[in-house]
Amino acid sequence: MADEEDDPEQDETPEPPQRLFTLTEAERTRQELEPFLVEAMDSRKKLSSLENELAAVSARIMMMGGVIVPYEKLAAVRMEHNQLSEILKSALNRILETGCLIKDLDVGLLDFPAVINQQDVYLCWKLGEDRIRFYHRQDEGFASRKPLDPRDLGPATPSNNCVISTR
């Protein structure tokens, strides 16, 4: 029987600390990530359509006993599906590597971990909004968004409430 210490599933490496954003950093990152978010949303929508098409072809093949299989069309759809999957994966990785969280890919909702008044919060932005204007506690969701205090709009300084905390 294997010793628990030899179990590769049990990685004792601690997770890196969550990146915390100032509002200025979150806004700059949001602007950089917006094209990747749009690309991910578009790819996901197209993938869903292709998956429906593949399912319909599969159902037709099953109903006809597999006699008439549109190999060329199926290969083209699968190739497009694979390309879109890679585009989606790349866009999602680009967003996540910044420390930003994707909360809802259907509507384009991003959260940026931050600290306001010594409380862990998310600076919350939805595609279509001109800038980050809201936040919510990390144990709350979109429905609990509150407007940011206008005094929190500047870069991190000792007098600013929206700062990076070193934990």
Side-chain angles (χ1 to χ4, degrees):
M1 185 173 252
D3 191 332
E4 282 187 37
E5 292 176 341
D6 296 331
D7 186 2
E9 296 292 319
Q10 265 190 328
D11 186 4
E12 306 244 346
T13 308
E15 276 192 40
Q18 180 182 47
R19 176 182 178 187
L20 296 174
F21 292 82
T22 64
L23 182 57
T24 302
E25 291 169 334
E27 185 58 35
R28 188 178 310 120
T29 303
R30 178 205 64 80
Q31 290 173 6
E32 293 170 8
L33 294 180
E34 190 169 348
F36 295 101
L37 179 63
V38 169
E39 181 178 53
M41 292 171 70
D42 186 49
S43 296
R44 184 170 182 218
K45 202 174 290 181
K46 289 177 182 174
L47 274 170
S48 178
S49 175
L50 286 177
E51 287 166 0
N52 290 339
E53 189 176 339
L54 286 170
V57 169
S58 179
R60 280 195 304 273
I61 290 171
M62 297 260 307
M63 287 175 46
M64 300 179 101
V67 177
I68 304 172
V69 178
Y71 291 109
E72 287 180 29
K73 179 181 179 178
L74 212 50
V77 170
R78 283 195 176 137
M79 187 165 57
E80 185 178 0
H81 186 277
N82 291 343
Q83 290 169 342
L84 285 170
S85 293
E86 285 303 311
I87 290 169
L88 176 60
K89 181 179 173 184
S90 175
L92 293 177
N93 286 337
R94 175 66 180 93
I95 294 168
L96 294 173
E97 72 189 9
T98 66
C100 168
L101 304 172
I102 303 166
K103 289 298 184 146
D104 188 331
L105 197 53
D106 291 328
V107 297
L109 187 59
L110 300 180
D111 280 351
F112 299 84
V115 172
I116 296 179
N117 295 328
Q118 289 128 16
Q119 186 174 31
D120 291 338
V121 299
Y122 289 127
L123 302 174
C124 184
W125 176 77
K126 181 177 153 190
L127 187 64
E129 296 175 344
D130 64 337
R131 63 185 164 98
I132 300 171
R133 297 177 185 266
F134 301 95
Y135 76 99
H136 57 82
R137 289 192 334 239
Q138 289 190 3
D139 62 344
E140 298 175 325
F142 182 82
S144 300
R145 296 194 326 164
K146 300 163 203 58
L148 284 165
D149 185 325
R151 295 172 293 190
D152 293 339
L153 298 180
T157 63
S159 64
N160 190 321
N161 292 331
C162 182
V163 298
I164 288 185
S165 170
T166 53
R167 293 189 212 171

